[in-house]
Amino acid sequence: MKRFLVITALLSLFFVHSQNEEIDRLAVELTYQNQDTSKVDKSLLLIAKLLDVKDYQKAFLYINQTLDLSKTLNYSKGLAEANYYKAIIYNSRDDYFNSLDNYKKSLEYYYQINDSLGLAKVSNKIGLLEIKRRNYRKGLSYALSAISTFEKYDLKEEMSSAYNCLAEAYLKTNNIDKALEFNEKALVVRKTLSDSAGIKSTTANIADLYSIRKEHRKAIEYYNQVLELVNPEVDISLVSTILPKLGKEYLQFKDYKKATQYLIRALRYNRKSNHEKGLALTLNALGELNLQNGKFKTAEAQLLEAYGIASTNDFTTEILENYQLRIQLDSSRGYFQNAFKWQSEYYRLKESLERQDAPELPETSIAAVELLDFGLSDAEPEIISAVESGPTERPYLQYGLILLSLILVIIAISLFINQRKMKNSFAIDANRIEELEGEIKILGTTNKELEERNEVKDKLFSIVSHDLKDSISSIKAFLDLLKEDSISKEEFNELVPELSENANNASALLFNLLNWSKSQLQSLEPKPEMINIQDICREKIDLVEPRVEEKNIIVIDETQRDFVYADKSMMEIVLQNLITNAVKFSRNGDMITISNTDKNGKAIICVEDTGVGISKENMNKLFKAASNFTTRGTQNEKGTGLGLSIAKDLVELNKGKIWVESTLNVGSKFFIELPKTAPKSS
């Protein structure tokens, strides 16, 4: 093995040395070449060599020079290639927007010169980029458009890349059969190319897909093929994950002997190579093995270690699996309170990931097909001829045109005869038209107001429904445990207070929503009354108490008994939003203070926190509905981006103001100013 590694290293050094010599030669030749298209072509060749050795800085310099010369010469091919290489460099820096911008410029130039191969090459890259960004629909449309061209010209390397790209997109959209189909196509091509790394990774993908389809014997077959191909000293990442996956597959058949062999081997290998992901996978699988064999203490220790590794490295898939195994473990031991906790955590994380990674489902993109029909120039001549020429004799069409002309003449004569009769009628109706125009303007204004009101209502329902999810998910988790019929009456009684609390939270949120919608169903006009600030603030503090305790936050209620003249339901929604946000962006041990004061005859309510704060740039986006601005909380909580914009709308409807003061990493203060009395009637 050492001899093999030494030979490989020497060959690599020789290859790099040869490449460097060629780069130097091209650079010298370029210096003395005339400023023409051949210089552009040679420069592009040099850029490609620099990208091979990852010398992006020097490549970028040559790209800019090549773009300038290509523009001067109006050389579209040079512009297409240079922009393509520029996009590759931006992509290597994870600069999505600049990369996509340059790929699209390249696409336009290739389209101008009708270069089907260039179009396919760039489209495949855009497909990969969009899939990486979870824009699966766009990614699929671009990649699919490139495939036919690669297959037509038998471009195997491009085909294998495109097949893998499509397989990943179909996997993300839960189309497992399509994902398997394209991975198998990619494997055939990679074997033809003798692409060792590609064969191993694609075979592993196929094994994973069979596992998802619960075809465990096929999964074992392909996982074993990967192990036969890998070098344990080189393919560390692959071996680290394949071994525990094989162990898990044998667990499906209750083959504990084989499962133990692979999992012990995986544990030793991952500890030795210090591969965190493989170790988390292995410990979860060992925990499942010992759980099935009734060794609860050993299972608990292994699951605890797996959770520590997974949570430290944010391995969300392994965390979800860990939660499921802990639910089973604590249910088996009769620790239903703990099982309920893990089930709640499981649903919370799962819903968060679904919102974050919501894929766009693939669908036929007509625009993509029209723009990227790369085989257009090579279409069958007889088909094009048929479309261009059409039938040679059209007697029925000629007769039809003559008849149509006669009808038009008759209509023209009738119009001329009636013109004078209508003239007087027009004069009479002129005043009526002016009246109608006025009515239309009024209706237009009313319609605009209704649209604005509906928009506010839609945003409001979105916010409240989002807040309801946590409470309802928690209740669902409890009921799932109950449905399994593995909980005693005493254990049920222990969990009832927590269930009741979650139900109360959901009930309070629904009450506010229904109360608001009932009073505002006919219009968005507030129904102001004298309301006690202190009572509303205390109700809203009680609503967030479970989250406050979970995050170990200190809440100080400094509110005083005082009254404002405003719509009660609207103010409940505004204050709940501000207090919930304060909790969301506070860290462990932070402090939230809620207070109210008088200023110039108006009430000022303040919700202050010592949390993460807001940057000046983001403060300008907070109250704008159009920006739909949102950031994650200190425990990765996700919002709708609509809460503060609807709060602003509701406060202003009540003749008030809302604003914020904040310092990054110090904290934030949100202020509401409201009238204390009804306006005097004139």
Side-chain angles (χ1 to χ4, degrees):
M1 181 58 68
K2 287 183 180 178
R3 189 175 179 182
F4 171 77
L5 291 173
V6 170
I7 292 169
T8 304
L10 288 171
L11 287 171
S12 298
L13 285 170
F14 176 75
F15 178 70
V16 171
H17 179 70
S18 300
Q19 277 193 318
N20 287 335
E21 278 191 345
E22 191 170 1
I23 287 168
D24 292 339
R25 179 182 61 78
L26 286 169
V28 171
E29 289 177 6
L30 206 60
T31 307
Y32 298 102
Q33 195 152 354
N34 294 328
Q35 300 281 69
D36 53 20
T37 56
S38 62
K39 182 167 185 174
V40 172
D41 292 337
K42 187 158 287 186
S43 181
L44 291 169
L45 182 61
L46 174 58
I47 292 163
K49 297 293 181 186
L50 289 167
L51 291 180
D52 286 341
V53 296
K54 294 183 169 46
D55 191 346
Y56 297 130
Q57 189 174 358
K58 194 177 288 185
F60 206 92
L61 180 66
Y62 279 107
I63 286 169
N64 287 331
Q65 292 174 357
T66 305
L67 282 170
D68 290 340
L69 181 56
S70 296
K71 284 175 187 174
T72 304
L73 298 169
N74 196 24
Y75 186 33
S76 294
K77 184 182 177 183
L79 290 166
E81 289 285 321
N83 277 295
Y84 172 72
Y85 288 137
K86 199 172 189 179
I88 289 174
I89 294 174
Y90 279 124
N91 192 28
S92 72
R93 299 173 183 171
D94 289 326
D95 187 341
Y96 167 76
F97 294 104
N98 277 317
S99 181
L100 187 61
D101 181 55
N102 281 279
Y103 276 136
K104 287 187 174 180
K105 286 178 183 175
S106 177
L107 208 61
E108 288 172 12
Y109 288 119
Y110 277 127
Y111 190 67
Q112 286 175 15
I113 59 176
N114 199 24
D115 185 338
S116 59
L117 285 177
L119 285 166
K121 176 178 70 174
V122 179
S123 294
N124 189 46
K125 289 288 187 182
I126 295 176
L128 286 167
L129 187 62
E130 294 291 4
I131 288 167
K132 185 179 177 183
R133 295 278 300 180
R134 303 188 185 95
N135 297 327
Y136 304 120
R137 181 175 61 186
K138 288 183 182 177
L140 277 167
S141 68
Y142 276 104
L144 282 167
S145 66
I147 283 288
S148 58
T149 302
F150 293 151
E151 290 175 341
K152 179 178 179 179
Y153 290 97
D154 197 29
L155 302 174
K156 290 187 168 51
E157 288 188 12
E158 288 80 0
M159 281 163 57
S160 61
S161 170
Y163 287 149
N164 282 134
C165 167
L166 285 165
E168 184 182 353
Y170 280 120
L171 174 61
K172 294 295 186 180
T173 53
N174 293 318
N175 193 336
I176 307 303
D177 292 341
K178 277 286 184 184
L180 191 57
E181 176 191 333
F182 279 102
N183 265 307
E184 286 172 341
K185 284 185 176 183
L187 184 60
V188 171
V189 179
R190 291 189 184 279
K191 284 180 177 178
T192 307
L193 292 168
S194 300
D195 177 4
S196 175
I199 291 169
K200 287 181 279 192
S201 62
T202 307
T203 306
N205 290 341
I206 292 171
D208 289 340
L209 290 166
Y210 276 121
S211 180
I212 293 169
R213 281 174 41 159
K214 301 191 183 304
E215 295 182 38
H216 301 296
R217 296 203 184 279
K218 292 288 281 184
I220 288 170
E221 177 190 335
Y222 277 92
Y223 281 135
N224 276 317
Q225 284 182 28
V226 180
L227 284 183
E228 289 171 7
L229 295 167
V230 295
N231 179 347
E233 294 182 24
V234 178
D235 302 307
I236 294 169
S237 182
L238 205 51
V239 177
S240 297
T241 54
I242 294 296
L243 287 172
K245 285 177 180 179
L246 256 172
K248 284 197 66 175
E249 292 304 311
Y250 281 109
L251 272 180
Q252 305 301 319
F253 301 109
K254 309 293 182 186
D255 189 342
Y256 297 126
K257 184 178 178 181
K258 280 274 181 86
T260 302
Q261 287 174 357
Y262 279 109
L263 291 176
I264 293 299
R265 183 179 164 190
L267 187 65
R268 288 171 181 163
Y269 185 85
N270 280 297
R271 289 206 190 280
K272 183 180 177 182
S273 60
N274 197 29
H275 193 274
E276 300 280 9
K277 192 174 184 69
L279 194 54
L281 269 169
T282 304
L283 289 164
N284 270 339
L286 281 167
E288 185 178 357
L289 172 66
N290 285 304
L291 175 59
Q292 288 186 21
N293 285 293
K295 298 177 181 178
F296 297 145
K297 285 189 176 179
T298 307
E300 183 179 29
Q302 288 162 341
L303 292 177
L304 185 64
E305 186 181 355
Y307 179 74
I309 295 166
S311 57
T312 302
N313 294 281
D314 198 27
F315 297 148
T316 50
T317 305
E318 285 67 40
I319 294 171
L320 280 172
E321 186 182 2
N322 193 271
Y323 284 154
Q324 287 183 308
L325 291 168
R326 286 183 167 211
I327 293 164
Q328 293 176 36
L329 176 63
D330 285 328
S331 296
S332 301
R333 296 190 298 182
Y335 300 163
F336 296 104
Q337 186 77 32
N338 286 343
F340 174 59
K341 172 193 167 187
W342 296 123
Q343 194 139 3
S344 298
E345 290 296 324
Y346 173 82
Y347 279 114
R348 182 177 297 170
L349 178 57
K350 189 177 180 185
E351 286 180 3
S352 171
L353 290 172
E354 284 171 355
R355 288 194 300 270
Q356 175 185 339
D357 198 30
E360 296 184 64
L361 294 176
E363 59 183 43
T364 304
S365 174
I366 296 171
V369 172
E370 288 175 350
L371 176 63
L372 305 174
D373 189 3
F374 308 136
L376 185 62
S377 62
D378 300 311
E380 294 297 326
E382 58 270 22
I383 296 173
I384 295 173
S385 174
V387 173
E388 288 176 349
S389 62
T392 55
E393 296 182 3
R394 301 177 182 177
Y396 295 110
L397 180 60
Q398 292 171 3
Y399 296 147
L401 287 171
I402 293 167
L403 181 62
L404 180 61
S405 300
L406 288 171
I407 292 169
L408 288 172
V409 169
I410 293 166
I411 292 171
I413 293 168
S414 299
L415 287 172
F416 179 76
I417 293 168
N418 291 323
Q419 186 177 13
R420 291 183 180 180
K421 292 180 182 179
M422 294 174 67
K423 191 172 181 180
N424 293 332
S425 177
F426 287 153
I428 294 166
D429 289 343
N431 292 333
R432 180 57 184 154
I433 290 169
E434 287 181 9
E435 290 174 9
L436 287 171
E437 285 176 349
E439 289 175 11
I440 289 167
K441 285 180 182 177
I442 293 167
L443 287 170
T445 305
T446 306
N447 187 51
K448 187 178 179 183
E449 289 174 359
L450 286 170
E451 286 177 356
E452 289 173 353
R453 290 173 180 178
N454 280 331
E455 185 181 350
V456 173
K457 287 178 183 178
D458 290 343
K459 289 191 290 184
L460 178 64
F461 275 80
S462 175
I463 293 157
V464 179
S465 63
H466 179 267
D467 290 340
L468 277 169
K469 280 186 180 178
D470 279 346
S471 295
I472 292 172
S473 294
S474 184
I475 294 167
K476 184 181 183 300
F478 175 85
L479 293 174
D480 283 347
L481 281 177
L482 196 62
K483 189 171 69 175
E484 292 171 2
D485 201 24
S486 57
I487 189 167
S488 67
K489 185 178 179 181
E490 292 76 16
E491 290 154 351
F492 174 81
N493 290 334
E494 286 178 16
L495 293 174
V496 163
E498 188 168 349
L499 177 65
S500 176
E501 186 179 349
N502 285 321
N504 285 339
N505 288 346
S507 176
L509 286 165
L510 277 172
F511 176 79
N512 282 337
L513 176 61
L514 293 172
N515 189 36
W516 188 90
S517 60
K518 180 182 175 183
S519 63
Q520 310 303 323
L521 192 59
Q522 298 305 318
S523 70
L524 202 62
E525 292 299 318
K527 304 291 188 289
E529 58 181 308
M530 298 303 293
I531 54 175
N532 188 345
I533 298 168
Q534 190 177 47
D535 289 346
I536 294 177
C537 288
R538 285 182 177 174
E539 284 177 16
K540 299 308 155 191
I541 291 169
D542 289 341
L543 273 177
V544 298
E545 188 178 348
R547 197 74 180 132
V548 165
E549 289 179 0
E550 185 183 330
K551 295 183 82 169
N552 196 26
I553 297 167
I554 301 164
V555 177
I556 300 173
D557 181 6
E558 291 186 352
T559 57
Q560 301 172 19
R561 184 176 173 79
D562 199 359
F563 291 85
V564 293
Y565 185 72
D567 184 299
K568 185 179 179 183
S569 298
M570 289 184 177
M571 289 309 103
E572 284 179 340
I573 290 165
V574 172
L575 284 166
Q576 181 174 319
N577 184 268
L578 294 184
I579 294 169
T580 302
N581 274 355
V583 174
K584 177 181 173 182
F585 295 107
S586 292
R587 300 154 297 202
N588 194 297
D590 276 337
M591 186 181 298
I592 297 172
T593 306
I594 300 148
S595 60
N596 63 299
T597 55
D598 282 346
K599 186 177 180 182
N600 300 328
K602 293 190 176 183
I604 307 290
I605 305 167
C606 178
V607 179
E608 178 182 1
D609 65 72
T610 60
V612 295
I614 310 161
S615 67
K616 288 183 180 178
E617 179 188 355
N618 288 340
M619 274 198 285
N620 297 326
K621 305 175 188 175
L622 288 180
F623 299 107
K624 295 178 181 177
S627 66
N628 199 26
F629 175 72
T630 181
T631 55
R632 292 185 179 275
T634 54
Q635 289 188 356
N636 211 32
E637 305 100 320
K638 190 175 179 184
T640 61
L642 298 171
L644 289 173
S645 65
I646 189 70
K648 179 176 180 289
D649 292 341
L650 297 179
V651 169
E652 289 177 352
L653 281 168
N654 284 274
K655 312 300 181 188
K657 297 177 183 176
I658 185 169
W659 70 94
V660 62
E661 296 174 3
S662 185
T663 305
L664 200 60
N665 299 318
V666 175
S668 304
K669 291 182 183 180
F670 282 85
F671 297 94
I672 305 170
E673 180 186 277
L674 291 167
K676 296 190 67 176
T677 57
K680 293 178 182 179
S681 56
S682 54

